[in-house]
Amino acid sequence: MNIWQSDRRRHVIANWEKGRLLGRGSFGSVYEGYAAGGFFFAVKEVQLLDQGNQEIQTKQCIYQIEQEIALLSQFNHPNIVQYYGTDKDEAKLYIFLELVSSGSLAEIYSRYHLKDSQVAAYTRQILHGLKYLHEHNVIHRDIKCANILVNVGGTVRLADFGLAKVTEFNNLIKSCKGTPCWMAPEVVNPKRRGGYGLPADIWSLGCTVLEMLIRRRPYSHLEPAQVLYRIGIGEPPPVPDFLSGLSQDFILKCLQVNPDDRPTAAELLDHPFLRRSSHA
């Protein structure tokens, strides 16, 4: 696969040690790593074999991991997590990534009440990352606070590209992938709606901005099956009246049921809500 080549400085990981557990995801656990020269990084550890030496990962899971590696190795953007390389043994695959030390936006909003200016600053950076991906016809497909990391300087990194997909020649995707509460209507019912493309990430972004401001997941009052039904019939998550007018307008522009009515990432960068950002 040839998308674009990264010229970002790479760290060579050698003689490394696995440190403390940082978190767990759908494909494995993430640890702190420590390499020769005193360099810290993140290690995504993927279990390939169980104790009986039987394969426990489906071919689809392995494909998604390989796809994530292939994409990450070519990304070159300050708002996308940096990839350093891989290692493996008989039972495990290790993916080396930039260590983003302040955690995810989900962790941050659970500890702090985010103001409009802070949410706008994060959103502006998320949009720059999405604009870069979309210019190269890459759909992330799993934009949510848990997959967006923040470093100590407040810089955002888009992460977890296991579901990301390259679209070619404006072909629409027809597989249902993502996390239900952040999925667009056309993702929930891809065949009925003729598939989906880049605007699906914009719907997820609207849900993510809402999530930061209300400090909980969208549709949090519903069970998962009810969530999928409501999204499938084109019902956006409730946007509370106590949010500022500009934030409501931004979110509702992202949550247009017709994907053709949603602004692009580049267009959203001009939205007045983002002028509240201290980084604007």
Side-chain angles (χ1 to χ4, degrees):
M1 177 167 47
N2 223 349
I3 310 172
W4 64 97
Q5 188 59 43
S6 170
D7 57 3
R8 201 168 170 187
R9 180 173 175 267
R10 298 290 185 197
H11 288 276
V12 177
I13 307 297
N15 300 319
W16 65 280
E17 296 180 40
K18 186 172 75 174
R20 62 191 174 99
L21 177 70
L22 299 176
R24 300 187 189 278
S26 54
F27 294 118
S29 301
V30 180
Y31 295 87
E32 182 178 84
Y34 187 64
F39 170 65
F40 289 92
F41 57 99
V43 184
K44 181 182 282 190
E45 180 184 276
V46 181
Q47 188 82 29
L48 300 176
L49 303 171
D50 67 7
Q51 292 181 345
N53 207 38
Q54 299 296 315
E55 293 187 6
I56 59 172
Q57 297 286 346
T58 66
K59 289 182 179 180
Q60 179 64 24
C61 289
I62 298 299
Y63 169 77
Q64 288 178 203
I65 294 164
E66 291 174 342
Q67 179 168 268
E68 179 176 16
I69 293 169
L71 287 172
L72 281 171
S73 66
Q74 298 178 78
F75 292 157
N76 179 27
H77 192 275
N79 296 122
I80 294 175
V81 70
Q82 189 171 359
Y83 165 81
Y84 297 140
T86 59
D87 195 3
K88 68 182 299 185
D89 55 30
E90 291 183 359
K92 296 175 182 176
L93 171 68
Y94 305 96
I95 305 172
F96 304 140
L97 302 165
E98 172 185 11
L99 179 62
V100 187
S101 54
S102 291
S104 70
L105 282 177
E107 293 173 290
I108 290 171
Y109 78 63
S110 71
R111 297 196 301 263
Y112 303 103
H113 186 88
L114 300 180
K115 300 175 182 177
D116 269 20
S117 60
Q118 295 163 321
V119 172
Y122 292 143
T123 302
R124 173 175 290 277
Q125 295 180 73
I126 296 167
L127 279 167
H128 279 299
L130 282 178
K131 179 174 178 286
Y132 174 82
L133 293 177
H134 291 180
E135 285 173 348
H136 294 91
N137 294 319
V138 175
I139 309 176
H140 186 283
R141 297 205 293 179
D142 206 14
I143 293 293
K144 59 182 180 180
C145 285
N147 289 341
I148 300 166
L149 307 178
V150 184
N151 70 14
V152 292
T155 301
V156 159
R157 302 280 199 272
L158 302 187
D160 206 336
F161 285 81
L163 295 182
K165 189 170 180 67
V166 180
T167 62
E168 296 179 358
F169 310 114
N170 294 320
N171 287 340
L172 295 177
I173 300 170
K174 296 185 178 179
S175 57
C176 180
K177 299 286 185 181
T179 309
C181 293
W182 293 263
M183 288 167 64
E186 67 272 19
V187 179
V188 172
N189 288 314
K191 294 180 180 177
R192 186 196 308 174
R193 295 174 182 266
Y196 59 93
L198 303 175
D201 278 345
I202 300 301
W203 175 284
S204 299
L205 173 67
C207 292
T208 299
V209 174
L210 176 64
E211 180 188 4
M212 282 190 275
L213 289 168
I214 64 174
R215 306 180 72 194
R216 60 182 183 273
R217 64 175 174 81
Y219 304 100
S220 59
H221 59 296
L222 298 175
E223 296 296 323
Q226 293 176 305
V227 171
L228 289 174
Y229 172 75
R230 297 287 181 89
I231 297 173
I233 63 173
E235 183 179 314
V239 179
D241 290 338
F242 64 76
L243 299 183
S244 68
L246 286 177
S247 65
Q248 289 185 56
D249 185 74
F250 183 94
I251 293 166
L252 292 172
K253 278 185 166 53
C254 295
L255 299 180
Q256 295 295 310
V257 175
N258 184 345
D260 295 333
D261 293 336
R262 292 174 213 150
T264 64
E267 289 167 345
L268 283 169
L269 281 166
D270 290 327
H271 193 280
F273 172 63
L274 299 187
R275 295 178 194 148
R276 297 189 167 203
S277 165
S278 57
H279 295 167

